[in-house]
Amino acid sequence: MNTVKIGIVGCGAISGIYLENITNRFQEIEILGVCDLIPERAQNAVEKYNIPKLYQDMYELFQDPDVDIVLNLTRPYEHYGVTIPALKAGKHVYSEKPLAASLEEGREIVALAEEKGLMLGGAPDTFLGAGIQTCRKLIDDGVIGDIVGCAGFMICHGHETWHPDPEFYYKYGGGPMFDMGPYYLTAMVNLCGNVEAVSAMTRTTFSKRLITSEPHNGEIIDVDVPTLYAGSLRFESGAIGTLYTTFDVYYPGQARLEVYGTKGTLFVPDPNTFGGPVRLYIPGQEIQDIDLTFDYADNSRALGLADMAKALQTGRDFRANYHQTFHVLEIMEGFATSGQIGAQVPIGSRFEAQPPMDPSLPHGILD
């Protein structure tokens, strides 16, 4: 089997699941080499996963003719600085979320990819998992009728008590909307369609944060971004949605996402996960627990990358493409802009939802 060769830039916290899944789960891609600003991280990855190449820096990786796709796993504010030179070097790029830290950066990235005829995709790919794919089928089959609206809630008190390097969550490109919003919004637009306008109120409750996790225990973070967003979305279909994200609130429950239809309500799994539970309420009936009808219910990060690689081989469109990631980025910046100016912000971009996953294929093989 001919595999698509992946070069990874960034071997931080999120890289572990990618390294594991690319090596042991997805059979049509393989890691050719890695690099990181902290050489020990890249060296550890090479040794643990028997990776053929250790690059001195990302530019050496970009110049390797055997690399097909660059996997950008850097921090959000670094995405632009990695993706642009990778595209200039003629490489296809798949990036962790978000596409970029600002809409201006996102536009430049997209324009360059289009100019060069290169594939550009990115996380989150949780919408390809068993949970949200099952929800999509229920909606496509008309089980809850026409979509009336949706609501998402991501409520927590931030990352400084547990994350080993939490500062970037409170800097340019961070905050609860740009960190967690992509999961919710990607699920929402796949289930409810394109967004045509947004509005929001935002605030920064705490100007400073005390880190209590190691290795930065005791350090103080200056907060540079809003840490609470209360947003509204108007979908092209006429449906109305809400999204509440915050790093400021103590809350004992789990993330929530609900879709409301003219015939019933669908309780969608946490969009930061690939699995369930999926629950359905139809008036006059008890709430039903719905069996998942698609593969990839556990942590399947790199699923979107594997789908992009298969599209590279076959010439078809791929599911986690830049039309989707740019649409989500524009929505998030629209929320931020609305919070600043106190007015509704139109969303100009559109994307076309791709065909659902094929549940009949062997695990680790894409259609």
Side-chain angles (χ1 to χ4, degrees), residues 150-155 176-178 180-186 188 198-202 228-233 235 240-246 256-257 271 328 331-332 335:
C150 59
F153 305 88
M154 196 297 297
I155 305 172
M177 183 58 70
F178 277 75
M180 294 300 294
Y183 297 108
Y184 288 80
L185 291 169
T186 300
M188 284 178 169
V198 300
S199 60
M201 293 184 180
T202 65
L228 189 154
Y229 286 77
S232 298
L233 312 92
F235 290 88
I240 302 294
T242 64
L243 180 57
Y244 190 97
T245 69
T246 180
R256 289 186 291 148
L257 179 57
V328 168
I331 294 168
M332 294 191 299
F335 282 141

Side-chain angles (χ1 to χ4, degrees), residues 10-24:
C11 297
I14 193 63
S15 69
I17 189 63
Y18 279 93
L19 292 163
E20 182 68 27
N21 285 343
I22 296 171
T23 302
N24 298 314

Side-chain angles (χ1 to χ4, degrees), residues 275-288:
V278 174
R279 308 186 77 203
L280 173 67
Y281 174 67
I282 302 296
Q285 303 178 18
E286 294 185 0
I287 295 178
Q288 305 174 53

Side-chain angles (χ1 to χ4, degrees), residues 94 119-125 127-129 133 136 186 189-190 294 296 303-312 314 316-325 351-359 361 365-367:
Y94 185 95
M119 299 178 76
L120 175 66
D125 54 2
F127 76 100
L128 299 176
Q133 287 290 301
R136 177 176 170 179
T186 300
V189 299
N190 271 274
F294 290 81
Y296 305 105
L303 176 57
L305 172 65
D307 181 72
M308 176 177 168
K310 189 59 174 282
L312 178 62
T314 63
R316 66 163 170 83
D317 289 333
F318 64 104
R319 294 171 172 95
N321 60 55
Y322 73 84
H323 298 287
Q324 176 176 285
T325 58
F351 88 103
E352 182 178 348
Q354 295 299 306
M357 299 289 285
D358 185 345
L361 294 170
I365 301 291
L366 278 293
D367 56 296

Side-chain angles (χ1 to χ4, degrees), residues 5-16:
K5 306 300 191 295
I6 310 299
I8 299 178
V9 180
C11 297
I14 193 63
S15 69

